[in-house]
Amino acid sequence: MLKRILFGAVAALVFAVVPRATAGASPSPAWYVVQNINAYRATYGLAPLAIQTANLQAAAEAWDENLVRANALGHNPDLMLQAPPGATTVGENVGVGPTVSSVELGFDQSAEHRANLLSPYFTMVGVAVIRSPYTGQVFITEDFAN
């Protein structure tokens, strides 16, 4: 079966996977990003994405850390290899900005990033959010798969 890779254009924003909060702790920024993605999808009648921690979240976290270290944006060339077993389509949004909200807004306003957010083919997501200790900018990586 032909495997397709869909990537959003590199924007001035980055999303990545961060674990959900444990009991008594505040939810992570990435958890909020996933909630916002699913609310955005719901406004278009799309099913919510499940957080896929074993593959997508791990890939998003590792890639976001790479982007922060490099202080640069780019897509993960190995995302398809890191996707969950059986996945045939993957997508990725990466961005950087002063706040999580500004990055999310950039994704919503970009046709390529919005296509990933609203793809009816995607059923899973992994998101990472890291504030750079070097620049103070927020990097976000969102990895999608079916």
Side-chain angles (χ1 to χ4, degrees):
M1 171 173 273
L2 177 63
K3 294 186 178 189
R4 297 181 295 157
I5 299 178
L6 307 174
F7 289 116
V10 175
L13 308 169
V14 173
F15 281 77
V17 180
V18 175
R20 286 185 284 174
T22 56
S26 297
S28 70
W31 183 86
Y32 284 112
V33 168
V34 173
Q35 300 313 302
N36 289 339
I37 289 170
N38 284 333
Y40 188 57
R41 288 174 61 85
T43 64
Y44 289 89
L46 297 168
L49 300 174
I51 299 172
Q52 206 285 337
T53 58
N55 300 86
L56 291 179
Q57 182 172 332
E61 289 174 351
W63 190 248
D64 215 35
E65 290 170 4
N66 181 56
L67 297 176
V68 168
R69 276 192 306 274
N71 194 32
L73 291 179
H75 288 288
N76 181 348
D78 297 322
L79 183 58
M80 191 71 226
L81 299 173
Q82 297 166 345
T88 58
T89 305
V90 298
E92 181 171 68
N93 290 345
V94 297
V96 63
T99 65
V100 171
S101 297
S102 68
V103 176
E104 286 186 279
L105 181 61
F107 287 152
D108 294 348
Q109 293 177 343
S110 159
E112 294 87 359
H113 293 95
R114 189 172 50 252
N116 282 336
L117 292 167
L118 299 177
S119 173
Y121 302 109
F122 294 138
T123 58
M124 310 172 248
V125 68
V127 175
V129 177
I130 301 174
R131 181 170 299 278
S132 170
Y134 313 109
T135 66
Q137 294 288 309
V138 174
F139 284 78
I140 299 176
T141 298
E142 299 173 338
D143 288 338
F144 305 90
N146 66 343

